[in-house]
Amino acid sequence: MIVTVCLNPSVDKTCEVESFQFGGTNRVISAMLDAGGKGINVALALKRLGQEAAATGFLYNKNADIFYDRLEKGNVICDFIVSDGSARTNIKLRDKKTGTITEINEKGAAVDQSLINAVRDKCIELSKKCEYMVFTGSMPPGCPPDLYKTLINEIHCPAILDADSTALKFGSEAAPFMIKPNIHEFEALLGQKLASPDEIVTCARTLIAKGVKYVLISMGSDGAMLVTKNDALFAPRIDVDVQSTVGAGDCMVAGFIHGISMYSDIEAIFASAVAAGTAGVMTNGTGLLEKETYEDLMNKVRIRKI
């Protein structure tokens, strides 16, 4: 079983407009409302790929039902800390003409030390009976910036980290099994622009020297890279009809974990991550991926060594 940790869940409202007008009136063509958050998405994507998945973290009593409903329909086990209040709402505006998505994300409800202690205890408990624990997404106000680092150091299973800013910085110091920044998050972590694949590999290996096993970097239309101590792989973007990039990174994380469980070959593991991330952009809104699409894309991933 894989457990995902979602500390800052969100109700995601995805709206499509014909042609977004900055500062003007935009009339919605269609709208979708989903329970979201990166940990929610990773758990659901894992289940669609055939893995046993559970989700933990924070929920809030005023709108917890929408999260339970989506996760239970997706056959994901739920084991959350439930507090008073409401989960945040994130708005995603899709421009039909250009395909561009603009995100407006709330900070989330503040948590106190008692809730942090409760989720810490929950993570330690669950880590004793799972293969991997995934720490992903932002943290709500009240969480210390090094909370992921603390949790990764205390759990009893390998950790996977997909975060940004200080959460990525501190979390990486705990030497998780895998990190998955996008290229902009990776450059911010290092404090420098990376001009070539060789530079990316060199910088990734500074983290690997400190204990990280895999560095998986998504680069949007420029493809993706996977770096380990002994291997450096690049996969170009697969040419598909992009519907939405929301949740694509979460699908990539799920695809990597699925690949680790299914294959011993590093190229097949990487292909699984790329195929799942690509399948994620082919669905509307927060629809995540379809396994049939993922399986078809596995045959279309092209990988070269760097």
Side-chain angles (χ1 to χ4, degrees):
M1 180 176 72
I2 296 95
V3 174
T4 67
V5 180
C6 187
L7 298 182
N8 206 11
S10 61
V11 177
D12 290 338
K13 185 171 185 178
T14 304
C15 300
E16 185 174 59
V17 298
E18 188 65 44
S19 179
F20 182 73
Q21 302 297 313
F22 182 78
T25 299
N26 294 275
R27 304 198 181 280
V28 174
I29 300 169
S30 63
M32 295 172 58
L33 197 68
D34 280 313
K38 294 177 73 64
I40 304 293
N41 293 340
V42 174
L44 288 164
L46 280 166
K47 193 64 183 177
R48 290 191 177 190
L49 291 172
Q51 299 292 324
E52 288 301 313
T56 190
F58 298 126
L59 288 182
Y60 302 88
N61 54 19
K62 289 185 179 179
N63 56 6
D65 286 350
I66 189 173
F67 294 92
Y68 284 129
D69 183 61
R70 189 179 187 204
L71 289 167
E72 288 168 1
K73 284 180 179 176
N75 295 311
V76 172
I77 299 166
C78 298
D79 196 350
F80 288 90
I81 307 299
V82 181
S83 180
D84 293 335
S86 298
R88 62 190 177 137
T89 298
N90 289 344
I91 298 172
K92 301 166 191 312
L93 296 170
R94 183 178 189 273
D95 186 321
K96 184 178 180 181
K97 183 177 180 180
T98 65
T100 302
I101 294 176
T102 301
E103 299 192 39
I104 303 170
N105 294 346
E106 294 182 353
K107 289 183 178 180
V111 295
D112 60 22
Q113 191 60 48
S114 65
L115 288 171
I116 293 170
N117 291 342
V119 85
R120 170 186 170 273
D121 292 344
K122 180 67 69 179
C123 288
I124 293 172
E125 171 198 342
L126 291 172
S127 72
K128 296 175 182 177
K129 49 191 176 184
C130 70
E131 297 172 78
Y132 301 97
M133 184 164 282
V134 184
F135 297 93
T136 181
S138 64
M139 294 183 287
C143 289
D146 63 349
L147 180 58
Y148 282 152
K149 177 181 179 179
T150 299
L151 295 173
I152 291 168
N153 279 329
E154 293 185 338
I155 61 173
H156 300 275
C157 67
I160 289 169
L161 177 66
D162 180 13
D164 63 7
S165 190
T166 54
L168 175 61
K169 176 182 180 296
F170 287 118
S172 296
E173 293 173 0
F177 181 72
M178 186 271 272
I179 63 170
K180 195 224 71 68
N182 63 38
I183 187 62
H184 306 297
E185 292 163 347
F186 192 53
E187 289 175 335
L189 173 65
L190 299 166
Q192 65 181 90
K193 281 286 185 181
L194 301 172
S196 70
D198 287 341
E199 285 188 10
I200 294 172
V201 173
T202 299
C203 291
R205 285 191 172 142
T206 64
L207 298 175
I208 290 166
K210 297 176 182 178
V212 177
K213 297 295 187 295
Y214 294 88
V215 179
L216 176 62
I217 303 167
S218 56
M219 302 184 293
S221 61
D222 291 327
M225 291 180 62
L226 179 65
V227 184
T228 70
K229 181 180 179 181
N230 299 314
D231 296 284
L233 305 175
F234 169 77
R237 175 182 64 88
I238 303 172
D239 189 18
V240 298
D241 182 18
V242 176
Q243 295 296 313
S244 172
T245 57
V246 175
D250 307 324
C251 291
M252 179 174 271
V253 170
F256 174 87
I257 298 169
H258 181 63
I260 282 283
S261 73
M262 297 293 292
Y263 310 110
S264 58
D265 178 71
I266 185 67
E267 292 192 16
I269 293 168
F270 184 37
S272 180
V274 173
T278 305
V281 305
M282 295 172 69
T283 59
N284 287 315
T286 53
L288 301 177
L289 57 79
E290 298 297 334
K291 189 172 184 182
E292 295 79 6
T293 305
Y294 158 83
E295 290 172 344
D296 178 63
L297 289 166
M298 279 291 288
N299 299 316
K300 298 179 180 179
V301 179
R302 298 291 177 261
I303 295 170
R304 66 174 174 86
K305 295 184 178 181
I306 299 171

